[in-house]
Structures are given as C-alpha cells and as structure tokens.
Amino acid sequence: CSGYSLLRDPRHNKGLAFTDKERDAHYLLGLLPPSVPSQELQVKKLMNIIRQYQVPLQKYMYMMDLQERNERLFYKLLIDHVEEMLPIVYTPTVGEACQKYGSIFSRPQGLYISLKEKGRILEVLRNWPEKNIQVIVVTDGQRILGLGDLGCQGMGIPVGKLSLYTALGGVRPSACLPITIDVGTNNEKLLDDEFYIGLRQRRATGQEYDELLHEFMTAVKQNYGERVLVQFEDFANHNAFDLLAKYGTTHLVFNDDIQGTAAVVLSGLMAALKLLGGTLADHRFLFLGAGEAGTGIAELIALEISKQTQMPLDEARKNIWLVDSKGLIVESRKESLQHFKKPWAHDHEPVETLLEAVNDIKPTVLIGTSGVGRTFTQEVVEAMASFNEKPLILALSNPTSQSECTAEQAYTWTNGRAIYASGSPFPPVEYEGQTYVPGQSNNAYIFPGLGLGLIMSGTIRVHDDMLLAASEALAAQVTQENLDNGQIYPPFTNIRKISAHIAANVAAKAYELGLATRLPRPKDLVAYAESCMYSPSYRNYR
C-alpha cells in the first residue's frame, strides 16, 4: 500500500521509526524527516509531553489520540509506564471521560448497537472489519463506576477495559471488540445535552430490553463461535445478575463487576491472612453495600470457606454480614429484599446504621462497595481499631471521590495499625515517621489474566472454580517484602508476569473440569501463556 496510507494506519504506523530501508521499500521517502529514533526514544518523548499536561482528562485524550495514530506505541507506553498510566486510561480518569464523552468525542471506537438496529444486529457485527474476535466487552451504560447512568457515553469503559486486556493480558488488539448497547438513558442532563451522542429517549426495559440483549447474544455466538469471551460491564444490578444467570450456561460470559471484583478482593484477603493469621473461616466480614460487587465478593468468600472447611455453603455465609441503604440485612427484612440479597439475611435484630452494625458484629474485615464516598467515618474506623489489632479495611468504590475513606484517614484513625486497600489508587502515606503503601484492589489484576487463560485454553464456559484459581494465583504473587509494607497486592510493575501465572492457573482448572477445547493441553502453561502474549515492539517490514 502507498506510504502515505501506511502512516495513517494505526496498526502499522511507526512514525519516525521506519528505517531507511523500509522508507525506500514502502514509498515513504520524503514523507518523514531523516531522523530514525528507536521505539524507546519515542516513548520517552511522549512521556515528556504527557507529563506536561496538568489535567488528567487531557492526558486521557492524548492517549486516545495516540491509540488511533500508532497502536504499538500506545501499548508500549502503557506497558512500560503501567503504574503511572493506568489511572489515566482506566479508573479514575475514564469516569470523567465518560461523563464528558459527547463533548470530547472525536472518532468512534467500537460498535454501537441501539434499539434502531433491532433485527439487524448480526449485520452490525459483520460491519466490524476484524473477523477473528476473542473478547467482547459490552456495556449498556446504566451504572458507570459509581457515576450512574451515562447512556451511550459509557463506551469509554469497554474501550478502556480492552486496552488493558491487551496491555496487561497480552490479548491482540485486533481480537478485542468494544460494544455499547444503547437502549436510551434516564439521565435528564444527557437528554438535554446538545452534544449527547446516544438515543434521546428514556431507557427501554422489560421485554423490549430482553429481546434486544437476546438477539445480541445469539448474533455474537453465530458470528464468532462458542469460544468468544463476552464480558458484561457496568450494567445495573438487576440486569447484571439476570444476564449472568441467563447466559452463563450457554455462552462464555463473565461479569467483571460481580466476579472480577470478587476474585480480586478474595485474593487480597488470602494475602492478608499471612499478616492477620488464621483462615478465612476464622474471620468475620461486614460489607457496606449489597449490590453487584458486595454480594459477588461475599458469595466468593463463602464458596472458598466452604471449599476449605467442607462446611455447607449456607453455613459458610453466616460469618458474612451486609449493610445496605436501609441498614443491616436481617431475617425480618427477607420478604422485601431483592433476590440476590436474600442469602445474606441472618438472624439478628434490625440495625439501622453502619456504626451500630460494626459495634454489634465486631467484624475483623470491613469492606466498602457502596458507591458512596466518606461513609467509613472516623467513629466507624476507630471502632474497628478498638477490637482488632490489625483491622482490615477495604474501601473499594470508584472513582477516588466515591472511596469510603482515604488511605490517610484509615492509617491516621487506627494509629497506623490498619491494613488498607482501595479501588482507585491513593499515594503512599507518611504517618509518625513510617511510610505506608496502600494496596489497590483493582480488577485489572484479574480480568486480563483470566481472559487470557480462557482464550488460550479454548474454554467454553466460566466456572466459579476458575475465579478461585485466579485469586489463588494472584495471592501467590505477593512477596514477604510487599507484606512488610502492609501491601496485600503485588506492585503493578510486573503485571504481565502476574497475568501469565493467573492465565496458567485458570487454564489448568479449565482442563481439569473438561471445559477446555484446545487440545492437547500444553505441558508448561505459564510458558505457553507468555508465548501467547501480544508484544507491542515494532515489526520489521520487508
């Protein structure tokens, strides 16, 4: 193809890094200045530019622009500077990007399937240029992070998630497909916004919604086969649980908000046990928030306890308590509870506030999945510290503004005794001459490796045991040195190595359960996982 179009093709463009020989062979002579920098030097230059922007959203827009211009350089930069760039391409900045997506929207990324396309979804999928899709991340934009209904502007989430599948899990960019299903929005601000990019109508629900989703899931399987992974992302609670239950038996589906969050948190708990002592069954857990994340985590903890102790699942649930907006979930409320909360209604008199619940139940672990910021008040945290030598406090709501308490608050209010992790990143905290490094309980630890494990083994269904396998693999990567700093997660710098171990553990479980179709099973799964991973280094063109 002509040199000019090569420079405009993000998959093949190398900018100034085309060698003299390549410039000669591909009609690029004179189209570029004479300098031929290495890819490393290009990364250095771009990092200098990015660091000059003061506003995170500007850094995000620069990164999106780079992705559209030079794909390999985008991933090289993201992989080499993962700790610095992750909060830009993902939470917390991606949340702001979704809120303003209509105003900053330049080039469409991914596929938009709206109610207008009902009856023609297969045709829409066939309009996408890549045929060999391995992972789809799909949202309907109804509950973006802790920011609510952002309608069609939720597309920032699938785009961001899939860039992490590639950067952290090594799935080829051409095998990733971001999709937004637009059934309208109930967000009045967006409906009145002249720059809103989606359908200007209130959300379709009930049968109309179910039919569109069913047509979508059927078309995906028809077009891409049995082994394409569909990750549901940022759906509202009721739909998230229903979709997972409905399609979990017929498709390879995974809900990151329910299952990914759960696997990451369980892994943090497994690692924390090395600091706290005892087994999971010896601890008492209290959640603030009983939506997708809260009940998903609770269920996975109960599953692991029941596996370790052979006690029935119902029995394992008894050490796990949840507080929602109406107070502690107890037996007397059972009639009025949504179905996914019912298993957590235990025998106890009604309790209205989180503080009372903490004092009554005396949990060793406090987990925030409420989506509401500053709800772990000083009284609550001090109460946790009064009956626990090392209170474990996980403030998981995103973005940073919705975090239940900050790292600094957790360490200060517990006199430096807390073990703390959050959903969005907080900087290290100096307290009385000691530096505490808060962990980030970020789903990006789990889903890229989990996805790679499912893809490389050709798995056709997700089983809960695969989530447990992912949690165990992540916890095993936490070193004694990490624990000494109070970190219950390994640093993100080695994330590709971590993802390869997670992928290997997940694939091993898939082969063991007879759900893997890629035969024969590779002997060394870690080495195989590493060999499957996409490298962002430039190719040489002949």
Side-chain angles (χ1 to χ4, degrees), residues 1 58 76 96 140 167 181 232 245 281 289 338 368 397 472 494 511 520:
C1 72
Q58 291 176 320
K76 178 81 174 149
E96 189 191 348
D140 71 354
I181 294 185
F232 295 122
Q338 290 165 285
S397 295
E472 284 159 15
N494 319 339
Y511 282 108

Side-chain angles (χ1 to χ4, degrees), residues 68 101 107-113 124 128-129 155 158-159 162 176-180:
E68 294 283 334
Y101 211 70
R107 242 182 267 184
Q109 293 171 287
L111 280 178
Y112 293 85
I113 297 174
V124 173
W128 187 250
M155 180 56 108
V159 169
L162 284 166
C176 297
L177 174 55
I179 297 182
T180 292

